[in-house]
Amino acid sequence: MNEKKDYSHVYWIGGSPCSGKSTIAEMITKDYGYTYYQCDLFNEKHVNASNPSEFPAMFRLKDMT
């Protein structure tokens, strides 16, 4: 059984490369004591742990250059 997880406590910061996402995230982490999680560092782990039939877009993106 696949349980849905609640991510309502997570703030997602998105944007173009070199737009300052990491800088802003680091500032917020420092100022408010949040946990800073860099998705890019764990992308391969997430892809390998997920089911291609449930997350087909993730599996298409992993092979793009």
Side-chain angles (χ1 to χ4, degrees):
M1 181 165 90
N2 186 8
E3 294 181 30
K4 297 284 183 183
K5 294 186 179 181
D6 178 19
Y7 291 105
S8 62
H9 63 286
V10 176
Y11 291 91
W12 301 92
I13 300 173
S16 301
C18 300
S19 62
K21 298 179 301 289
S22 295
T23 302
I24 294 296
E26 289 167 0
M27 291 169 61
I28 292 170
T29 299
K30 181 182 175 188
D31 291 348
Y32 295 99
Y34 292 165
T35 300
Y36 178 28
Y37 183 85
Q38 290 180 279
C39 294
D40 291 349
L41 297 179
F42 300 97
N43 187 51
E44 185 176 351
K45 177 182 173 184
H46 292 300
V47 170
N48 292 334
S50 62
N51 183 334
S53 64
E54 291 182 59
F55 304 100
M58 180 181 283
F59 282 85
R60 286 192 304 273
L61 288 173
K62 79 178 183 88
D63 294 327
M64 296 176 93
T65 59

